[in-house]
């Protein structure tokens, strides 16, 4: 059951949409604030970061893609909720680090389910530290180290790395990664997974032993090399 500790920021320039969403989400048990412009959203999310931002792409002062870029340093979870339904827009939004991408018109019950799924994935648990060999990931602190040295990763890279480490020793398919990390089916185009795996390898597999391994025709597995 959702608790009143979960705070959402709804960002949409259409007053009717904001009011409908706010009323529905409050009824579902969330605390809700709203913003009509990108400037208002950035100011609100920076001053008091919410647990999740529901963000429209088309805003009067700047688009939602620029907003998520500016919020990236605060690691605020973002769910795009927009009429922009082109494949390219979805890929752009998710590649920038959005946790989900929902297009209008939308089903309110499905939206609430997706919001709760994002909150579960991004909540973390105090003291959770995942380790594989010399690689460590602090879930709550959102920090990654290799051989004790910090590794800078983006929000999307962090989610991908966490998924791989939670399934260490187990092969995960590209379809599974898309579902768990991006929460969106790219219509069979899994190239974004390969791209982000490449990003991670450049950051954590720059020295031996290599931890991310390709299982050709299937997916990827994180493990230390077998003797």
């Amino acid at each position: 059951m959702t608790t009143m500790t979960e705070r959402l920021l709804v960002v949409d320039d259409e007053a009717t949409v904001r009011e409908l969403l706010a009323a529905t989400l409050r009824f579902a048990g969330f605390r809700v604030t709203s913003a009509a412009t990108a400037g208002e959203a950035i100011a609100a999310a920076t001053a008091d970061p919410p647990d999740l931002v529901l963000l429209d792409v088309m805003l009067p002062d700047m688009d939602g893609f620029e907003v998520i870029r500016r919020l990236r340093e605060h690691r605020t979870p973002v769910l795009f909720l927009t009429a922009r339904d082109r494949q390219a827009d979805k890929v752009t939004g998710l590649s920038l680090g959005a946790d989900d991408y929902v297009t209008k018109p939308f089903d309110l019950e499905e939206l609430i389910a997706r919001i709760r799924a994002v909150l579960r994935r991004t909540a973390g648990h105090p003291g959770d530290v995942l380790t594989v060999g010399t690689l460590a990931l602090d879930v709550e602190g959102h920090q990654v180290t290799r051989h004790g040295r910090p590794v800078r990763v983006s929000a999307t890279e962090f989610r991908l790395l966490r998924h791989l480490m939670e399934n260490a020793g187990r092969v995960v398919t590209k379809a599974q990664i898309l579902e768990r990390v991006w929460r969106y089916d790219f219509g069979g185009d899994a190239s974004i997974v390969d791209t982000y795996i490449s990003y991670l390898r450049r950051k954590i597999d720059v020295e031996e032993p290599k931890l991310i391994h390709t299982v050709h025709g299937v997916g990827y597995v994180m493990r230390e090399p077998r003797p």
Side-chain angles (χ1 to χ4, degrees):
M1 181 175 179
T2 302
T3 68
M4 290 301 289
T5 60
E6 293 165 320
R7 297 181 302 105
L8 309 181
L9 172 62
V10 175
V11 186
D12 199 297
D13 62 334
E14 295 184 36
T16 53
V17 174
R18 285 198 312 276
E19 292 166 5
L20 171 64
L21 282 173
T24 301
L25 295 172
R26 288 187 184 113
F27 184 77
F30 298 102
R31 287 187 292 160
V32 184
T33 55
S34 61
T37 67
E40 290 177 4
I42 293 169
T46 301
D48 188 14
D51 295 298
L52 177 66
V53 177
L54 278 74
L55 180 62
D56 191 7
V57 174
M58 297 180 288
L59 296 170
D61 46 345
M62 73 178 72
D63 67 35
F65 297 144
E66 180 60 28
V67 174
I68 196 173
R69 290 187 183 99
R70 299 195 183 193
L71 293 180
R72 184 178 285 165
E73 65 183 84
H74 301 285
R75 303 191 186 281
T76 304
V78 172
L79 183 154
F80 275 113
L81 186 60
T82 177
R84 292 269 288 270
D85 60 357
R86 293 188 310 160
Q87 187 85 344
D89 290 324
K90 295 175 184 177
V91 172
T92 296
L94 293 165
S95 298
L96 288 171
D99 297 270
D100 205 345
Y101 195 108
V102 178
T103 57
K104 301 175 183 177
F106 51 85
D107 178 83
L108 287 170
E109 289 187 6
E110 179 185 352
L111 175 63
I112 291 170
R114 287 187 180 227
I115 289 171
R116 288 176 173 154
V118 171
L119 291 170
R120 283 195 300 271
R121 292 199 309 275
T122 58
H125 300 283
D128 277 3
V129 177
L130 305 175
T131 59
V132 177
T134 58
L135 178 69
L137 181 147
D138 182 340
V139 174
E140 185 181 59
H142 215 283
Q143 295 179 336
V144 177
T145 59
R146 182 89 198 265
H147 294 290
R149 295 188 293 272
V151 179
R152 293 177 61 89
V153 296
S154 70
T156 302
E157 290 166 353
F158 185 89
R159 292 196 304 273
L160 174 56
L161 183 59
R162 177 179 175 179
H163 182 61
L164 291 173
M165 294 180 73
E166 288 175 335
N167 291 277
R170 182 186 310 151
V171 178
V172 288
T173 68
K174 294 178 184 180
Q176 289 170 333
I177 292 173
L178 284 173
E179 169 62 21
R180 296 304 300 273
V181 177
W182 280 271
R183 300 293 296 180
Y184 179 74
D185 181 359
F186 283 93
D189 180 7
S191 61
I192 193 169
V193 175
D194 300 322
T195 298
Y196 273 84
I197 288 289
S198 175
Y199 293 162
L200 283 180
R201 280 175 164 156
R202 293 174 195 170
K203 294 181 177 183
I204 68 170
D205 272 353
V206 292
E207 53 189 285
E208 298 294 339
K210 307 300 184 186
L211 299 178
I212 301 175
H213 305 274
T214 301
V215 180
H216 295 289
V218 182
Y220 298 95
V221 60
M222 172 162 279
R223 57 171 168 76
E224 292 188 86
R226 298 186 179 94

